[in-house]
Amino acid sequence: MNGSKILQLIPTDSVNTLSNKGTNKTLSIMFIDKSGSMQRFGQTPLDCLNNHLQTLQTPPDGREQYCTVISFTEEATVELPLTKVSNGLKIKSYEADGGTLLWETVYQTLKVFLQMHKNLPDNDSLQVVVGVFSDGEDNWSFPERQPRKLKKIAQRALEFGWHLYSYGIGIDAKKLASDMGFPTDDDHAKTVLATPEGLQEVTQHFSINTTTIGCPADFFKVPPPRTTSPEKP
């Protein structure tokens, strides 16, 4: 990925904000398939993307949320560069067409963000959550280098404590995850039917995990009801 692409993906102003110390933050990196086979879902992918952005506006523990959205056809497109989430944040269009450059897109993006994460002065306060959504297998990356290189960099991301999710829309998510070097357990690799409802389901799963990762284990526990001793006569 060349310098201009990196600046397009990770604007300097956003990195400066992300570098602020003493604040818990979460970064959501979302990869969405935009190949021709996704045309069958109409505008559901766009609705799902914007629902995700809306969910990020109200994290339960109030932590700062950052996000980026990258789509892939026969090339990668930055739909939303690294951005601090704010009210009214939206993606305006989604037009599916072309092939599936999945592995190379994920590899190049993780490579750039891992370098950024390594250079942050307070990276322990940042949770990184990655979601890959696809309804088909890669058919555009060079087999001489992928997914071999992607698997290596995914291992580095896991060593940094990143959370890597794979979502198969009508395809086997565990195979999708295995091909990329992502975790293949049931919580991190989810397969759904190739329907608008299936796409909505996995997007919601990703949104919930993005906004709750990093919360204390007892954050969602309901406190026991208070009891009062009977008054003495």
Side-chain angles (χ1 to χ4, degrees), residues 1-11 78 81 112:
M1 186 175 288
N2 60 35
S4 61
K5 282 281 189 181
I6 292 173
L7 287 175
Q8 182 185 4
L9 179 61
I10 307 180
V78 178
V112 171

Side-chain angles (χ1 to χ4, degrees), residues 77-140:
T77 300
V78 178
E79 303 290 346
L80 183 70
L82 174 64
T83 305
K84 184 177 180 181
V85 175
S86 60
N87 291 336
L89 186 64
K90 278 191 173 184
I91 293 173
K92 295 181 180 179
S93 65
Y94 175 93
E95 299 294 335
D97 189 31
T100 309
L101 186 74
L102 193 163
W103 295 331
E104 191 68 31
T105 298
V106 178
Y107 166 74
Q108 292 288 351
T109 304
L110 294 189
K111 181 180 177 181
V112 171
F113 274 103
L114 275 167
Q115 187 61 47
M116 182 206 74
H117 192 189
K118 181 180 178 181
N119 293 335
L120 288 176
D122 188 24
N123 58 24
D124 289 340
S125 67
L126 177 65
Q127 297 281 344
V128 182
V129 190
V130 178
V132 178
F133 298 75
S134 184
D135 74 335
E137 296 189 359
D138 186 297
N139 59 13
W140 214 258

